[in-house]
Amino acid sequence: MTLKATKTWFLRLLPVVLFFICYYCSQIYFDSYGSSGKSPKTTVSLCDINSSQRKWSSLHLNTSRHPELFLKLEDFFWREHLSNHSLPYGIKGSELLLLKVLAVVTSYSMPGNVESSLDCRTCVVIGNSFTVKNSSLGEIINKYNVVIRLNDAPVRGFEEDVGNKTTLRLFYPESASYNPGKHNDPDTLLVLVPFKQQDLLWLKEILYNEKRVRKGFWKPPPQIWLGRFSQIRVLDPYFLHLTASNLLKIPLNPRRQQKPVHPTTGILAVFVALNYCDVVHLAGFGYPENRNQQQPIHYYGQDTMKSMKNSFHDLNLEARVLKRLEEQGVILHLHS
Ligand SMILES: *[C@@H]1O[C@H](CO)[C@@H](O)[C@H](O)[C@H]1NC(C)=O
Ligand SMILES: *[C@@H]1O[C@H](CO)[C@@H](O)[C@H](O)[C@H]1NC(C)=O
Ligand SMILES: *[C@@H]1O[C@H](CO)[C@@H](O)[C@H](O)[C@H]1NC(C)=O
Ligand SMILES: *[C@@H]1O[C@H](CO)[C@@H](O)[C@H](O)[C@H]1NC(C)=O
Ligand SMILES: *[C@@H]1O[C@H](CO)[C@@H](O)[C@H](O)[C@H]1NC(C)=O
């Protein structure tokens, strides 16, 4: 064949070859992203350890990161001055109750698979806000190493928007659901946030199957609780203390006439995540404008802004602090 003939053949074949290459590529594309033709889902952005340290420093919290989240039995034997505060900001006066609780709980660590992702932990805190409704964030949420949920927020029936993975669930007796197995994974850690001695008493009575004392709660907690004992943890009150004093800068011992203000479990969970994780993202945070009292506030149920009226929280302050953290690039609020 002459050179000219070869050239002609090549030019004739070219469209055919290109067609096959394009077809082949499109197959690979759709195989990796599902054949339903959906656009590729954003994956969790990768860590940069330097930047997580830098982010922490930029908060000017005057303390280093504290990745040990839970109270341990051995703490009580070795430390002389555990705390100069009583609950919710310290364990002074609650030592005996805690000894009893921790003697039964016996495991004080994070799950092994999370603990071993030491070089970079990605965490997402799921608030219970109405804003997460119809967000379709579920699939993205499930990709984080650690998913933190709050109180009795449901998962079943809302997977599309809030995902179905739960690594930690922070709760207190009044916000405990009677059967934690329903909306958690079998290995979800059930993390009690003790706000008052009654909260520890409640847990002790369940662990030892003692007669329940009902006084001292603002809402009756479950009398029977089906949580697995091996999954229970008690959050170190250190975290609420520092959330209040260093992050929100609210007075720990308000004067007599002043209504006491405590951090919400939501902002507490964000602070816990900042201590434990290299990447902290949020979903479902934020309340509706105060003016509209009829607006639903959660992605489930019927609660409205009205129900928050007498709470011991400063929601405006917390919103300002979260906004500042987001502007500093320390946290990222996921949106649909
Ligand atoms: C982390 O910091 C070190 C020293 O400051 C620098 O050499 C390195 O490139 C940084 N790594 C990243 C991923 O930014
Ligand atoms: C930082 O902490 C130290 C001791 O923990 C304290 O003496 C100092 O006043 C704190 N500084 C600020 C700015 O809070
Ligand atoms: C509690 O107060 C005592 C005496 O003022 C002090 O020596 C101790 O370091 C304090 N403990 C903590 C945990 O702050
Ligand atoms: C969510 O989507 C459903 C069904 O499309 C719709 O009826 C509902 O109004 C939406 N809710 C919000 C808060 O957007
Ligand atoms: C979450 O949903 C996925 C897909 O439906 C399922 O495979 C997985 O087992 C679920 N995980 C939990 C903890 O429910």
Side-chain angles (χ1 to χ4, degrees):
M1 263 196 283
T2 63
L3 187 64
K4 197 170 174 230
T6 314
K7 235 178 169 174
T8 315
W9 267 106
F10 179 74
L11 284 175
R12 280 189 195 158
L13 269 175
L14 194 59
V16 180
V17 171
L18 280 179
F19 174 81
F20 276 106
I21 288 174
C22 289
Y23 179 77
Y24 186 67
C25 288
S26 70
Q27 286 305 299
I28 291 179
Y29 180 84
F30 284 115
D31 281 350
S32 42
Y33 293 118
S35 48
S36 57
K38 271 190 226 163
S39 63
K41 290 281 178 215
T42 346
T43 48
V44 175
S45 64
L46 292 168
C47 283
D48 168 359
I49 305 296
N50 283 2
S51 85
S52 55
Q53 197 49 48
R54 208 166 48 235
K55 284 179 199 165
W56 178 267
S57 314
S58 77
L59 293 175
H60 299 297
L61 293 178
N62 197 17
T63 168
S64 46
R65 283 166 80 189
H66 185 87
E68 298 255 328
L69 304 186
F70 312 123
L71 289 178
K72 299 194 288 290
L73 191 59
E74 53 261 40
D75 290 344
F76 292 81
F77 295 110
W78 303 115
R79 287 201 215 158
E80 232 173 282
H81 295 288
L82 270 171
S83 174
N84 289 329
H85 291 278
S86 46
L87 286 173
Y89 298 127
I91 63 165
K92 193 172 161 186
S94 304
E95 293 90 346
L96 280 179
L97 266 173
L98 275 166
L99 270 177
K100 289 201 145 181
V101 164
L102 297 176
V104 173
V105 170
T106 68
S107 179
Y108 319 113
S109 56
M110 288 289 277
N113 61 332
V114 172
E115 201 64 12
S116 64
S117 61
L118 283 175
D119 46 338
C120 173
R121 296 191 192 109
T122 60
C123 299
V124 63
V125 184
I126 315 300
N128 299 344
S129 160
F130 186 75
T131 56
V132 82
K133 227 180 159 81
N134 290 1
S135 67
S136 303
L137 286 173
E139 217 176 303
I140 292 173
I141 286 168
N142 287 339
K143 287 182 181 150
Y144 288 78
N145 297 135
V146 176
V147 180
I148 305 178
R149 295 185 198 275
L150 309 171
N151 303 328
D152 53 354
V155 161
R156 308 291 161 228
F158 301 91
E159 291 95 336
E160 180 82 20
D161 293 331
V162 301
N164 66 352
K165 171 176 173 175
T166 311
T167 318
L168 305 179
R169 185 179 286 271
L170 270 52
F171 74 102
Y172 44 88
E174 291 94 338
S175 77
S177 73
Y178 144 80
N179 180 7
K182 193 171 167 201
H183 290 286
N184 296 304
D185 314 345
D187 54 356
T188 298
L189 295 186
L190 305 166
V191 183
L192 179 78
V193 181
F195 280 94
K196 50 193 181 304
Q197 281 210 354
Q198 277 89 343
D199 297 350
L200 294 170
L201 197 59
W202 171 83
L203 185 56
K204 189 199 77 158
E205 287 163 356
I206 284 170
L207 293 173
Y208 288 85
N209 197 19
E210 295 169 343
K211 188 173 185 305
R212 313 290 198 262
V213 172
R214 289 153 189 259
K215 270 195 289 191
F217 297 101
W218 53 266
K219 182 185 161 203
Q223 301 291 301
I224 296 172
W225 188 67
L226 302 179
R228 285 164 56 208
F229 292 1
S230 60
Q231 301 308 111
I232 298 170
R233 301 288 185 275
V234 180
L235 187 74
D236 191 334
Y238 165 90
F239 294 98
L240 198 72
H241 182 182
L242 271 93
T243 304
S245 62
N246 293 29
L247 185 63
L248 297 176
K249 299 188 167 62
I250 53 183
L252 300 188
N253 301 302
R255 270 168 269 130
R256 241 161 225 280
Q257 314 86 314
Q258 273 178 320
K259 194 173 131 179
V261 170
H262 298 302
T264 60
T265 1
I267 193 99
L268 170 66
V270 172
F271 182 71
V272 167
L274 287 171
N275 274 273
Y276 189 72
C277 316
D278 300 297
V279 168
V280 179
H281 292 174
L282 317 184
F285 270 74
Y287 288 92
E289 293 292 326
N290 269 341
R291 276 167 264 135
N292 189 349
Q293 298 287 312
Q294 305 306 317
Q295 181 81 25
I297 51 174
H298 295 144
Y299 68 83
Y300 54 90
Q302 309 296 326
D303 284 344
T304 61
M305 213 49 211
K306 236 177 174 170
S307 66
M308 297 299 294
K309 228 175 171 175
N310 292 315
S311 74
F312 293 100
H313 303 306
D314 187 340
L315 301 181
N316 292 329
L317 171 64
E318 293 191 8
R320 284 199 303 277
V321 168
L322 284 178
K323 188 153 178 270
R324 199 192 75 218
L325 294 185
E326 194 166 8
E327 282 165 0
Q328 290 177 321
V330 174
I331 57 173
L332 176 75
H333 204 161
L334 300 175
H335 297 283
S336 45

